[in-house]
Structure formats: structure tokens, C-alpha cells
Amino acid sequence: MSRQVDAEFLALPLDACADAALSRARELGAAHADVRVVSILTAYTRVRDARIEGSLLDDDRGLAVRVVVDGCWGFAASDRIDVDTARDLADRAVALARISAPLSSTRVELAPEPVHVGTWVSAYDVDPFEVHEAERLELLTRRSAALNAHAAVSHSTASLHAVKERVHYADLAGTRTTQQRVRVESDVTAIAVDPRTGSFETMGTTAPPAGRGWEYVTGAAATVGGARAWDWAEELAALPDHLHEKTLAPSVDPGRYDLVIHPTNLWLTIHESIGHATELDRALGYEANYAGTSFATPDRLGSLQYGSSVMNVTGDRLVEHGLSTVGWDDEGVGAQRWDIVTDGVLVGYQLDRSMAAEFGLPRSNGCAYADSAGHTAIQRMPNVSLQPSTDGPDLESLIGGVEDGIYIVGDKSWSIDMQRFNFQFTGQRFHRIRSGRLAGQLKDVAYQATTTDFWGSLRAVGGESTYLLGGAFNCGKGQPGQVAAVSHGAPAAVFESVNVLNSAREAGR
Amino acid sequence: MSTPQEFVERALSASSSRACVVLVRSQSLANVRWARNTLTTNGETLATAVSVVALVDVPGGVAAGSVTVNNPGLDGLADLVRRAERVAVEEGPADDAADLAADVAASPDWSQGPTIATSADLAVLAPQIGALFASGRADGIEHFGYAEQSVTTYYLGTSSGVRLRFADPEGRLEVTAKSHGRSRSTWAGRAARTLAGIDLEDVDREVRQGLGWQANRIDVAAGRHTAVLTPSAVADLMIDLYWNSVARDAADGQSVWSSPGGGTRRGATVADPRVHLYSDPAMTGLEAIPFVVATGSSGSSSVFDNGLPVAAVSWIRAGVLEDLITTRHTAAETGLPFRPGADNLRLDVEGGTGALEDVVARTQDGLLVTCLWYNRVVDPQTLLLTGLTRDGVYAVRGGEVVGAVTNFRFNDSPVSVLGRIEDAGAPAATLAREMGDYFNRAAMPPLVVREFNFSTVSQAS
């Protein structure tokens, strides 16, 4: 399907605003200036027990001007999109840069980038904003009602979050790009309550968010091979039984276990322990006050043994349906793919143009992003993915190779320290593995490890048949805080002797 | 340029449905960020978000449709109202439908324009930031930090006659200091209505004290230890507790406040009898918006409650769970009183006296925790949280800090913490390290908590 940027966005005075701001910034002596006109549509609908609980529809649009003057950044933004405002923002951004100069001891330099002119639209079939709210609501209500009809389910919720992001970018070098991206996320959760004891358990769907349209939410979307992108019917049908089994499951004995981790869980471990740890701005210290720094410091590039030899991780902004996939980033850098970990060794970072220049690299790999017109672009995460093994094993073979372990499916709670050493994750389902076979669910499982120990214990990665693109809408970073959507591909993988806690005992129960 | 009042009146006049709510939020923000003793980014932004909640008669009841657009212009308001009405019709009857607030006295300052934060509000800090960088370079200390001044001015108008205005300023300053090849790291933060009330030199003294304490390293194994929690660390725990105090979740059996056998634990003793946890929009220095604003409905808010007063509420008093967050709808569902959540929170521990240094001086053996980070719910039944200590954990022996220990991952519940209080200081305004982004108004005491679960060692420094 040929997709185009919405005419309504193109009707805004995109070029006129860009021309006005850029010419004013040039007059005022800016060495670099860029302009973004941004419109972000967000829709959120939530259903509880097959009744609508609430919904939001938001159109966040505005105009942003960023400059480098005398080696300092200046940034100003407004929700007014017109030529006068564009010139005014250029004035204010330049003034802020000049105010900053006495307190700035490091000059901002930007890695060069070829000039790009073009339009790019992400891969989707049906724009979720062209689907009536009634249709969206009917789908969620139907799914919630079906769960509530099951004896094991006390309550259920269903939600849909859809975003359409439209950005026009222009800079003094001559780059002018216009992009439109669509993404969707839907979650359905079943809850079982035992009123006698007051205990309760939940079981949520594990469908990842995707850079797709409404067709993904309905289950109609297909992969390149023709299979369903996500089989909602199958997952929803199984959810009550999974939940019921969990309520009856024994509490885990804490200790060390071999883990087989499904990509619906492993994506989040990749995100926290590899994705954030290999952001160069963090590694250099620029996020030290907020998100933190990284153990993967630049002096260890090329030598840090991040994990075992079967660990290969890439960064990209290219993969189809990826949440971080773009045509160009928010500094006008073309989308790329590169290596981050090769054969277990750290070989690359995520960069924006200033980080690339500071690190002496000839080009950024295109990781600048701002989550709205109101925020300046900073280095954000691309799609960071663990590569599957060529002709590698399927899931059954991976489980079959484990004598005594736990198979973990779906994400839930997550936490990691500010240098990305110590992490702890839970999940949706934990299946005991005995002699290579699944032997019923466990509950109260949390796995805890140090990043390099964990990835060093990676014994095997699955083949293409086990690979899935997971991800999240809500990755946070920066001050003022920004959110970004990002995907992480992963195969199922086997880790040896990982520390497993019993979360109930941790709480003193 | 159009005024917020014009947006309200024009949108209300365009409404053709049963009732209508218009919320205008004028949002301004000036910020500056630094790292390694040099400024990095800065910004000045201004936006006006206009939300229309259309309440429409539909078969079976009243429906609500909510749409928000940035600065739609006066000419765009009629379209915005129509979009909200369309959404309402498509969604069908709302369970939380109720009459809008009426007979609410208009704000005396209704006609005033929005209060705007600009980079001039940061100017007060510029000389102090410059001095911070200079002294840092001279003393081998790297400074990282962030300062922001924001103001959101709310204008709420309804077809039932509500006209309410509230200017909501927030100031925040944070400093992280690192030295000795970044092997030592400390943090201090401040929250206030304006940056003008914050003394950066005082913040610098605090972080330098921490760096000094870290000259001596002491080995302490993971396990349950007595913790001396700073007001910032207490704030992060209590905000998580507060946000998980929603009545409907409890009544549905899905919360730490659910009662075995059904219903909620309201009226049960859940904490040390000295504990008083409460909110009050009129709290001096922590003034918060005194009426309900809601652009969407959930278990803890209802668009139909817009404009109703937010009163002072004791959530836990004398150790007893006294109230949970309700809307009018969930109050009726659960049989509990209507208690909208306020945007501030204070913890008093009866008999608690002194500041952090006084509490440390009274502690014979414990671990002083500067702040907590990456806190997440692991088990909602107990509200078990996991997270990390950050930027300074210190051994306290005989009333003195004797050295620094490693960071730890903790696994503990704020509800359980309120039952294990050994000592407490007086509450003071503080900035929660993690939640401060979202919740800027907390007054917390330093707490001494026995058997805090420092689950494993974190190598992070």
C-alpha cells in the first residue's frame, strides 16, 4: 500500500516557518540551526470489565528552533505554528545560547551529515485514527467480556494506545525531511481474586507494541511469510487457563536455575542492560544526574567482554515495524544499522551528532530524537536487538536442552541500577523445566543478576523461528523528561545458573 | 493573541450537548542542564492545551468524550467541541455519569492572565552555577545537574457555571557531584514553588559532605539492616504508596488495601500508631490545585467531577487506614466517602523531632540512604517494591557517619516500612529523586527503619 503524509499536516506552513527561523538564525550568527514542526496524535481507550472506563484523544503540535551560537546550544519552542512565531523562536534560542556561553567550557561540535531531502512514512495499512472510536471500543469490550465469561476470571481490563507522529525537519545545511510514523499498543489483562484469602493474580497478554496500524490490533496483520503478526485469538483463548494454573502454582524455591527466556520477556532485559548501557551520552556522563551512567565506558570499547561468544547485538533505525524506525533522525541523519556487541565484545555505541563529534567519529548513527516540539533532541535508543543463530534451534529444542530450569514468558516488573550493573525482572508466566520438559507453572519468580554475568551465562540463542520484535512505548530519559518508543528483537535464549528470588519471601510473606 | 478565558467561553458557547467542560492549561517551562562543570542543554517553551469534555445524552445514559488540542485558535474551537461530542456518542453511556459541579464560587482571579515562567527565572541561579563550576574545577569535583521553573495556569469552565483558575508554579534543582575518577558520587535536590527560594551553595555543601564521607570505605554485606532514610528516600516510598491507594482497586481485591473476605482495609491498623499520612491543597509551601481537573476517567478520576473541591484528607491517621482515593462514582460503588486525591503529601510521625543530622546523631547502628532509584512494584498484594540505593550509602555508628558502603538493591514494601519505624525527624519539604518529575510537593521526615531489606549488592557508584 502506498502511504502518504497526511494532507492536513502538509497544509501547515512547514517551509515558510523553516525559512523564517533559519534565515533569522543565520542573520544572528548561528553556526547551526534546525527547525522542527511537530504534530503528535495520541489516542488512549481503556475498558474495565467490558465497560468503557475512559478515553483520551490528544493533538500535541508545535514549532521548535534549536541553534548553536558561539559553541553553545539554544532552544525555544511554542505551540503556535506561524512565520512570526518561527522568527521569534529563533531570536529566543539565540539569546539563550548567548546567555549560556559564559557558563559553557566545552564547544558544541556536530559530526557532518550529507544533505537529505525527502518524505518517509512508516509501514502500516490502516491508520488507527481513521477508525471510529466505536469500533475501537467494540473490539476492547468484546475481548474483556470474553475473559469475564470464564470462571477463573474475576475482572478484566483492555486498553488501546495509538500514536501518529508527524515531523517536518529543516536545517541550515539544507536538509528538509517530512515523516509520518504510526504505532499501536494493546493490552488485555485477566485478574483472579480469591475473596477468602484476599490473594490475587493477574495474567496479561504478551503482544508487543508495534510500528503498525489498526490491522495489528485486530489480528489481521501478517508477517512477510504470511503468518499472523500476532495471533490475538489464540492468546486470548489461552489466557484464562494460564491464569487459573498460576493461581494454583507452587511458589518458587529461591536459588540458581537455568533459564529459557522467551523474547516477550527478554526484550526488556535487552533494553535495560544493553540498550541504555550503550548510549554514548550516558557512558560519557551527560545523563549522570538523571538516568545515570554506564559500566560500558568508552575506554572499554573493543575489549569489554559483554557476554558469551554467541551474543551478537545490533542497533538500527531501519527494521520494518520497529518503534524506533525512521527515515531520518531529529538531526537530519539518515537511518542506519550497526553492530553494538559482536561475538560477546562491545564494539559500538548509539550516537547523535554532537556525541559522534566528541568521540572523534566521522558520522552519527542517527539516534537523535525529541518526543515533542516542546523538547530538544537528545540521543535516544534505536531498535537494539539480539541476533538469532543462523539455523539455530527452535524453542522446543532450547527447552529440551535444559535439565532443571524455568521457562519465562512475558514481561512485568523491571528495575536496574544507574550504571546498568544490577537488575531484577519478573514476568507473566514461569514454567518449571524438568528433564527438558515443561512441568507446570511456578509463581513469585524474580530473576536478579549483574549484566555481564548474565550475558556471560548465555549458553544458546534460538534460530529465526524463535525471533520476535518486542518493545515499549514509554522509555524515559533526559531532563526535562522525555519518552520514546523503541523495539528490541530477540530470539528465545538459554542462560545458565541465574539467581532466582522468591518475591513473596522478599516481602516477608 | 487569544486569552484562556476566551477559549473557555467560546468553546462553551459552541457546545450543543447536555453539558460541557473546558479546561485550558497554559504551560510554560524554562530549564537548564549541566554536566562535567559545563552547561549542556537549555530551553524555554510555552504551550496552551485546550481540553473539551463533551457530555452527551445517549440511549442508556450520558456519554463523555474528551479531546485535547494545543492552541487550536478561537476559530478551531467549534470543531474541537464537535470532535468531543462525536467521541462521546461513539463511546456510549459512561458508568461514572453524574451532574457537574454547580454553585461553585468563581475564583477571584479568574480574569487574570496566565503566569509565565521564562529563562529570566533561571537568571537568579546563573552566578551560583558559575561559582559551582569554578569551585568544582579547582577541587577536582565534576558537577552534573538540572534546574527548571515551570508554571501551569489552569482555567476550568463548565456549562454549569464553574469558573476556576489556579496558577501552579514548580521549581526544581538537582546536583550530582562526582570525584576521584567518579568513584565517589553524591546527590542533593530541592523542590520549591520558585527557584528564588533555593540556595545552591547549601546544596553544594551537602554534596561535598557526602563526597567527604566516601573517603572511607566499609564493607557491609547485603541483608536486613537498620536504614536511615532521608526525606527524599521516604518521599519516593510514600508517593508509591499514595498512588496505590485507590479505593476501587482495593474493593476489587487487587491491592495491598484489599481485605480478605472482600471490601477494603479502611479502618484497619496498617502502620505504626504514630503515623499520620495526609494531603491538603492548602498546605503552606506545598499549595496544590484545590479543585478537581480531569480530562479522562479512570479508577481514581472522573471527568464528571471537574470543579469539585479537593479537601484535606488523612489517608493514614494514628496508624489506621482512614481513607482511599475515590471519585463520586467509585465512592458510591464502594460505599466510601468521596475523596479526590490532592497533589501533595505529608508524613508526620508523632514525636519525631529534628532534621536528618539529628536523627543520624540518635542512631547507634544503621545505613544512611541518600536516595532511591528505579523503584517498581514487584508484588501488588504487599506493595513490595524493588529499587536501588543511589549516590551515597553510609555506615552510621554511634551517632556518626563513619564511612561509605556499597549501593544495594532493595526489596521492601512502604506499607511494611510504616510498621517498622524506630525513629523519625520532623517533616520538611523534599524532592523525591525518582518521583520528583511527577510529584513535586512532598514533606517527609527522615526515618529510621529496622530490618530494611537490602537484598543484593549493586556495583554501581
Side-chain angles (χ1 to χ4, degrees), chain A residues 41 45 48 51-61 73-80 92 96-97 99-100 103-106 132-135 137 155 191 193 195-201 272 283-293 358 374-376 413-424 426 446 448 450 478-481 499 501 503-509, chain B residues 1 29 31 33 35-48 66-71 83 87 90-91 93 95 119 126 129-130 133 137 144-146 148 172 174-176 178 182 187 224 248 252-255 260-262 295-299 333 373-374 376-382 384 386-391 407 409 411 433 437 453 455-461:
Chain A
L41 291 172
T45 304
R48 170 183 170 271
R51 302 278 297 175
I52 183 164
E53 183 175 70
S55 74
L56 295 167
L57 180 59
D58 186 77
D59 183 355
D60 181 1
R61 56 179 61 194
W73 287 119
F75 175 79
S78 170
D79 58 2
R80 299 176 65 85
R92 286 163 51 197
L96 266 176
I99 291 170
S100 301
L103 297 176
S104 303
S105 57
T106 304
H132 287 290
E133 173 69 4
E135 188 176 347
L137 185 59
H155 299 283
I191 301 124
V193 178
R196 184 180 55 81
T197 63
S199 66
F200 59 94
E201 292 289 350
E272 300 291 1
L284 291 172
Y286 287 100
E287 281 286 330
N289 184 65
Y290 183 65
T293 58
E358 182 170 336
H375 291 147
T376 191
S413 175
W414 72 101
S415 175
I416 189 165
D417 72 39
M418 53 284 180
Q419 276 186 287
R420 304 283 144 172
F421 282 113
N422 178 303
F423 61 69
Q424 180 175 308
T426 64
Q448 191 183 78
T450 295
Q479 289 182 304
N499 185 31
L501 304 179
S503 59
R505 290 192 203 173
E506 289 293 308
R509 278 203 283 153
Chain B
M1 188 182 296
L29 169 69
N31 65 81
R33 196 177 195 200
R36 308 194 304 187
N37 294 330
T38 186
L39 288 194
T40 53
T41 58
N42 55 55
E44 187 178 279
T45 62
L46 181 62
T48 302
S66 174
V67 180
T68 300
V69 175
N70 264 7
N71 204 350
R83 286 170 69 187
V87 170
E90 290 192 23
E91 289 191 350
D95 286 347
S119 54
I129 293 173
F133 293 168
R137 286 188 205 103
F144 309 79
Y146 178 69
E148 73 170 27
R172 176 157 65 118
E174 294 181 56
V175 174
T176 296
K178 293 180 183 289
R182 298 187 181 172
W187 174 88
R224 290 188 178 268
R248 191 166 70 186
D252 279 354
Q254 300 172 38
S255 148
T295 56
S297 292
S298 67
E333 270 187 339
W373 185 249
Y374 226 126
R376 296 290 184 274
V377 175
V378 177
D379 181 0
Q381 300 198 42
T382 54
L384 176 72
T386 193
L388 283 305
T389 65
R390 183 171 180 180
D391 291 319
N407 279 303
R409 168 170 299 288
N411 276 301
R433 179 74 187 272
D437 256 5
N453 185 8
S455 177
T456 53
V457 167
S458 160
Q459 298 173 40
S461 60

Side-chain angles (χ1 to χ4, degrees), chain B residues 20 27 41 55 73 126 157 176 188-189 206 216 246 255 264 267 285 320 338 438 445:
Chain B
C20 186
Q27 301 160 315
T41 58
L55 307 178
T176 296
E206 188 175 327
N216 185 34
V246 177
S255 148
T264 75
V320 173
F338 172 49
Y438 319 101

Side-chain angles (χ1 to χ4, degrees), chain B residues 283-298:
Chain B
M283 206 180 295
T284 303
L286 300 178
E287 293 83 359
I289 186 165
F291 51 88
V292 174
V293 291
T295 56
S297 292
S298 67

